[in-house]
Amino acid sequence: MNDYIVRAAAAGHAVRAFAITAKDLTEQARSCHHTSPVVTAALGRLLAAGAMMGVMMKSADDLLTLQVISDGPVKGMTVTADAGGKVKGYANVPDIELPLNELGKLDVGGAVGPGMLRVIKDLGLKEPYIGTTQLQTGEIAEDLTYYFASSEQVPSSVGLGVLVDTDCSVRRAGGFIIQLMPGVTDEVIGQLEENLKKIRPVTDMLEMGHTPEQILEELLDGLEMEITDRIPAHFACSCSKERIEKALVSIPKKDMKSIVDDQEPIEIKCQFCSKAYQFEVEELEKLLAQMQ
């Protein structure tokens, strides 16, 4: 198993926890979108979080979308995930360059800038659940910690990290989410706070060779952790030429006619995975005829 998510419970199910190693899926996103190092770090954090939050959902058909809508140079990011460990995403501006921050690290907060975090859960109901909060730092983990507390009223701790190698490939990526369940005791909260004070940054733990299980063992030390599931995680896109065709026939007819009148083939790229789809003039004419 390469990338995977561990789901665990502790303190008699008063705490639930998730941890992920996400190097391969982050590298696939980098390769698809040709992201610069700082955007690789930002998008990789959001992908890791999305994958973990996806498996929190109950039904195989449920879909989660995380949207960062921001004023920084990256101009926002979008990630979608399902309940089975599949995740995909993109940054609006994938190739920005910024100087390192004051800690000598990639300036994710500077790349993201001020803005909003939107969490959309499509649970098969008439309307999706939508929660929106202000970005706190733009570093993603702190923003999600704030979202869980303010929008879902679930006290949580989120840690995320991406280490980019000297050749710009992804060296390490992963993270964790720890959440307190109703009825948790002060004693358990105190123990967890002590553990969190001692915890090293996610990238440091991954660089030391820690698995998701070992990360959770440190976080939940003294709280009788029980691993309940391991789920493979993948960067996976569901795009197809048929889906692109459906999108094309949904545009205004006059716009489609204008495309056909140009008498030139067109290429449409999937936002999520950058796969290119070619449409010849004859195919475009058929689609226009369907719209008549």
Side-chain angles (χ1 to χ4, degrees), residues 8 12 26 35 42 44 70 79 100 131 136 139 144-145 158 176-177 186 189 197 220 223 231 239 251 261 272 282 285:
T26 305
T35 48
S70 66
V79 159
L100 299 176
Q136 300 302 295
E139 296 281 347
L144 282 162
T145 297
V158 182
F176 65 81
I177 300 174
D186 290 343
I189 294 169
K197 281 179 196 170
L220 302 173
L223 294 174
I231 303 141
C239 69
I251 68 173
D261 288 346
F272 282 100
E282 296 80 7
E285 287 172 343

Side-chain angles (χ1 to χ4, degrees), residues 121-133:
K121 296 180 185 178
D122 187 346
L123 307 174
L125 307 172
K126 280 188 179 178
E127 297 292 332
Y129 162 86
I130 301 175
T132 304
T133 53

